[in-house]
Amino acid sequence: MRNFRLGRALAHGALVSALAVSMLSTSVNAQSVDLSKWSPEYVRSIAGTEEYDTGELCGNVTPLDYTGKLSFWYQGVFEGDPDLLRQYYKDFFEAFRATYPNIDLQEQALTYNDLLDKFRTALLGNAGPMVVRLQILGGVEFASKGYLQELSPEDVGWKTEDFWPGAMKSVMWEGKAYGIPTNNETMALIWNADIFKRAGLDPENPPATWDDVVAYSKQIHDNLGIAGYGLVARKNAGNTPYRFMPQLWGYGGGVFDETDPNPTYSEVRINSDASKAALQASYDMYVRDKSVPVSALTNQQADNQPLFLAGQVAMMISHPSDYNVMLDLQAKATGTDKEKAQTVIDNMRYGLIPTGPDGKRAVVFGGSNIHILNPEYVEGGVVDEAAAKAMVCFWTSPEWSLKMAYAGSNPGNLNGFKTKWMKERLDTIRFLDVTTSMLPYGVPFPTLPETPEIMNIIIPDMLQNALTGAMTVDEAADDAAKKISDLKGGGGL
Amino acid sequence: MTTVAGHAGLSRKHFVVQPSLLQQMWTSRADYLYVLPAIVVMLVVIAYPIYYTIDLSFFKTPPGLQLRDKIFVGVDNYTSILSSEVFWRVTLNTVIWTVASTLIAFVLGFGSALALHRDFAGRAVLRAILIIPWVISAVAASYIWKWMYHSDFGLIGAVLVQLGIVDTQPNFIDNIYSVLPSLIVVNIWREFPFAMIMMMAGLQTVPEQLLRAARVDGASAWQRFWHITLPHMAGVSTVTILLLAVANFNSFIIPWIMTGGGPSNASHIWITHIYELAFGRQRWGVAAAYSVLLFIILMSLGYFYVRALSANEKKEQGA
């Protein structure tokens, strides 16, 4: 079932954007897959065309009989992930141990919101792991401080062209690569067609613009008394920037000039008129129309999922994996709740992220990267380089970078799109087309050491200041701009 | 004690010569040896971190630099903190949090202790039930309360709506005005059993014969409480209040888990703010300066605590 107007949206998308250009133009012809042809049809056409033997490929980097020891931290599954992903994580470590039986692997999973804090603390005590897989906005901070080794795809048998140019930007610091992308994703708009219908909206057409989202949310709330849009504004949670930044960029705003083809990050734009318009849209939904959950200030996406399944939220921004999460939650429901949940699942639709008033569509180019640490920051003062490269090679291989992103993301290694598992995935994961279609609209977070603080603290603070009435929209934006300027200048509290 | 025979005509006690400090220490050398391991451990795990924190508080630690590359800024961190609007807001929150939590938990605990001091059917069961909030995990309790307070689907709000007390679900923790009082309620719920246990122990020390004699003399229940029970409870009350105050100044789990200090910093107290500065924003120097200020305040409270304990001991020795 294809309930989104994908063809029309993509036609529009073809006209769109400096954003797409910025993502694609850098090395279109050199990529392992032709990004200039990127569309659901193209993705389907290349799926299942290549076979890769991970053991053989990684055996060229680190011999399969190598004896060594490896400590590894990674951002693991959490409560908002589907069970399918848990199984793949289990399979991955079993496969690694089977391929490298003589490497003593000590892995530790941490949740998205805990990983940065714990990793920073461990590094202060020179007690880090040898290898770490971090969220996309984390790598530059640690590279700039000298914690990470230089590491490029060529070091583990791949080519730089095997990865998204935008993803490679996220591991670059002062012209050198310090990691390899494991997975990359862009989110989509999810809506409940049944709620749309009951609220008097076209059930098969999502809001085209962010202004439409505000209007639809109000109409749904006014007519049905439920939340129209699943706003998220919690502090210290990655969910907030992933949902607000597309809105900010859509309206033409930004933290800096990160949406420009060649960003310099020198000019703070968070208090520009366009940025304030984006913040005003959130204010209108939360304060003026009261059409979003009141709990948005303490909620994260994992809190929105059950609300969506209960038919209490009509629209939200999330991954393709949310469909599988809904199936998992529905399976655990009982009695009439189970039937209600099934109704919601049957009416679940995915569409492209809305555009701003000028037709600008953007989404966070998300994902994770894998890094090797410098020995002096590792517990014991030694990094087993061969074992570390074996892990990096394994995770970034076409096979496992796809399988580990099966339901919620996309393979960091573009060759993953050519595997038989991608073909299988396209047949089994609903709405995957939509989120892969969003990839060319992806905008990477600014590659600055200050980015985690800006995205996880300053942006949510700005939202909370405006939405609680602690400040006006103008004051909140100006306050955020001052904090960002102070932070960039090395000062501020 | 050494005594020396002295001048004729004066009693022997006027010629008592106090041994020097070193002599006293030598005499008690076995005692010092017994506590030496504890002293060493304290020096390593307390004294050094305190020294390091004070030292760090004079440095700036920008996000792009490692901690070892920190920049000396003198007292800039302290002046920045003291001139920051957020600092004063967080300090006010901390004072409200500490004073309200401490006093209300103490009053509730004292009241419960008085009620449970009397013998009645089911007293043991009631006492066990009242202790539950204190013994369950603070993390688990925080999550449960967070859901009970949920601004859209919370149990408390739903009950209030069902009873017709309010028309719509109240906003407890997503509102800058109600969030702190809401968290204080949770904290009091967690802490009052501790005050109750302390005060129940204290009530055992009130002489029963005095109360009986007062009753025979016609003293009312209030007079017996005011003139006999309360004076006897002064020592344990002071200690309980000080312990509660120190614990509340150091609170972290409830505000961090339930709101993370938000919304808009409205529920940040010192410890959560220090944590965010250090681990969320890597302002190790500023966080260290905050910690030093907090350390000074807590040491002052500690001084009063030790004085209260000493006063109690003297009082007991006098009795």
Side-chain angles (χ1 to χ4, degrees), chain B residues 50-306:
Chain B
I50 289 172
Y51 157 75
Y52 185 74
T53 304
I54 294 170
D55 180 56
L56 189 58
S57 72
F58 299 112
F59 289 86
K60 189 162 82 171
T61 55
L65 290 182
Q66 279 194 35
L67 195 53
R68 68 183 179 192
D69 301 324
K70 57 191 184 288
I71 303 159
F72 181 76
V73 291
V75 294
D76 273 10
N77 288 333
Y78 290 94
T79 53
S80 299
I81 289 168
L82 294 172
S83 60
S84 146
E85 191 194 327
V86 174
F87 167 76
W88 292 108
R89 201 191 321 167
V90 171
T91 301
L92 181 63
N93 286 347
T94 310
V95 170
I96 293 170
W97 165 271
T98 304
V99 172
S101 298
T102 302
L103 292 184
I104 299 173
F106 174 75
V107 169
L108 279 179
F110 198 178
S112 307
L114 285 170
L116 291 172
H117 190 56
R118 296 156 58 115
D119 200 13
F120 59 88
R123 184 175 72 152
V125 174
L126 199 56
R127 194 163 50 192
I129 289 170
L130 287 175
I131 290 172
I132 288 174
W134 189 50
V135 296
I136 66 171
S137 150
V139 174
S142 300
Y143 277 110
I144 291 167
W145 274 96
K146 186 180 169 185
W147 276 102
M148 294 209 305
Y149 274 147
H150 194 280
S151 306
D152 295 297
F153 304 102
L155 179 68
I156 296 171
V159 170
L160 292 175
V161 171
Q162 286 288 318
L163 294 175
I165 296 169
V166 292
D167 294 332
T168 56
Q169 189 86 4
N171 183 349
F172 290 110
I173 56 174
D174 290 281
N175 177 301
I176 53 174
Y177 302 107
S178 58
V179 63
L180 194 59
S182 301
L183 298 190
I184 288 171
V185 167
V186 181
N187 198 35
I188 291 166
W189 171 84
R190 271 272 305 160
E191 281 186 339
F192 91 89
F194 168 75
M196 183 184 81
I197 291 166
M198 293 288 285
M199 301 313 281
M200 281 169 69
L203 284 170
Q204 308 296 322
T205 66
V206 179
E208 194 59 34
Q209 64 270 36
L210 255 180
L211 291 167
R212 263 193 250 118
R215 193 178 293 125
V216 170
D217 290 343
S220 66
W222 171 250
Q223 286 170 323
R224 291 198 300 275
F225 172 73
W226 188 255
H227 294 291
I228 299 172
T229 305
L230 207 55
H232 275 90
M233 298 291 285
V236 69
S237 298
T238 309
V239 170
T240 304
I241 288 172
L242 281 169
L243 285 175
L244 283 173
V246 170
N248 287 325
F249 257 115
N250 279 310
S251 287
F252 176 77
I253 295 174
I254 291 171
W256 187 255
I257 287 182
M258 290 184 66
T259 63
S264 199
N265 295 326
S267 62
H268 254 319
I269 57 176
W270 273 33
I271 297 288
T272 56
H273 194 45
I274 289 170
Y275 180 85
E276 184 183 287
L277 281 167
F279 297 97
R281 301 170 57 190
Q282 303 167 82
R283 309 298 176 84
W284 307 102
V286 177
Y290 257 100
S291 302
V292 171
L293 293 173
L294 181 61
F295 176 71
I296 292 166
I297 291 172
L298 288 176
M299 285 302 286
S300 309
L301 282 174
Y303 169 74
F304 287 115
Y305 173 65
V306 171

Side-chain angles (χ1 to χ4, degrees), chain A residues 231-237 240 286-287 292-300 303 460-469, chain B residues 146 151-152 171 173-176 258-260 262-264:
Chain A
L231 183 76
V232 173
R234 185 187 168 98
K235 197 155 108 172
N236 263 323
T240 302
Y286 191 84
V287 180
V292 296
V294 180
S295 51
L297 307 183
T298 39
N299 272 358
Q300 48 187 345
D303 301 308
D461 253 348
M462 178 184 75
L463 276 163
Q464 293 197 348
N465 285 334
L467 303 187
T468 58
Chain B
K146 186 180 169 185
S151 306
D152 295 297
N171 183 349
I173 56 174
D174 290 281
N175 177 301
I176 53 174
M258 290 184 66
T259 63
S264 199

Side-chain angles (χ1 to χ4, degrees), chain A residues 56-195:
Chain A
E56 186 187 329
L57 290 167
C58 291
N60 295 331
V61 177
T62 301
L64 301 183
D65 59 353
Y66 178 77
T67 300
K69 192 171 182 177
L70 181 65
S71 54
F72 176 44
W73 289 8
Y74 63 101
Q75 174 207 315
V77 285
F78 77 120
E79 68 266 32
D81 286 324
D83 291 342
L84 185 65
L85 196 58
R86 288 171 223 285
Q87 186 58 45
Y88 271 115
Y89 271 69
K90 193 166 167 274
D91 292 348
F92 172 80
F93 289 108
E94 282 176 6
F96 182 82
R97 288 191 167 93
T99 309
Y100 286 100
N102 301 322
I103 293 179
D104 176 13
L105 172 66
Q106 294 171 358
E107 75 270 28
Q108 188 176 342
L110 295 159
T111 63
Y112 187 98
N113 293 336
D114 290 335
L115 180 56
L116 283 181
D117 290 358
K118 290 189 177 174
F119 186 54
R120 284 173 186 144
T121 311
L123 291 174
L124 291 176
N126 297 335
M130 295 178 198
V131 177
V132 64
R133 175 178 172 255
L134 293 170
Q135 54 254 55
I136 198 165
L137 59 71
V140 170
E141 174 191 326
F142 301 103
S144 70
K145 290 179 175 177
Y147 289 126
L148 306 178
Q149 290 187 26
E150 282 185 43
L151 177 68
S152 66
E154 283 73 12
D155 294 327
V156 292
W158 315 125
K159 292 180 291 179
T160 298
E161 295 74 30
D162 292 337
F163 298 84
W164 285 93
M168 286 309 298
K169 277 186 194 172
S170 72
V171 294
M172 302 298 287
W173 177 247
E174 295 184 337
K176 294 172 182 168
Y178 288 88
I180 302 174
T182 57
N183 60 290
N184 295 104
E185 74 267 358
T186 46
M187 296 190 189
L189 180 83
I190 304 171
W191 79 96
N192 181 326
D194 178 50
I195 294 178

